Amino acid sequence: MAMNLGVPEDLDPPLEKLATEENTSKTALLSEGAELLMQRHARRREFSEGLDFVMTHDP
């Protein structure tokens, strides 16, 4: 699915610099960032669920 995303003016120059350094596009960097964010939230959710289980099942 295509989506237009507005990048704040202060974020665009460092994003452009990083894209150039990494030999990739700003879109690819933003996609990678979104994936990392989703993974971090999934890990937090899994940790929280595991902790809840231990707290309710450990005497």
Side-chain angles (χ1 to χ4, degrees):
M1 170 203 258
M3 177 172 54
N4 289 331
L5 179 65
V7 176
E9 287 183 27
D10 61 328
L11 182 59
D12 191 56
L15 186 62
E16 181 71 40
K17 183 177 184 230
L18 182 58
T20 300
E21 291 170 358
E22 296 292 320
N23 196 32
T24 191
S25 68
K26 292 187 286 187
T27 301
L29 288 176
L30 292 171
S31 293
E32 184 178 346
E35 180 63 33
L36 289 170
L37 182 63
M38 290 187 300
Q39 289 173 5
R40 179 175 24 169
H41 282 276
R43 281 192 304 273
R44 285 182 182 167
R45 197 169 32 254
E46 290 169 359
F47 178 80
S48 180
E49 290 170 358
L51 184 58
D52 289 344
F53 178 83
V54 169
M55 296 302 286
T56 57
H57 290 81
D58 194 20

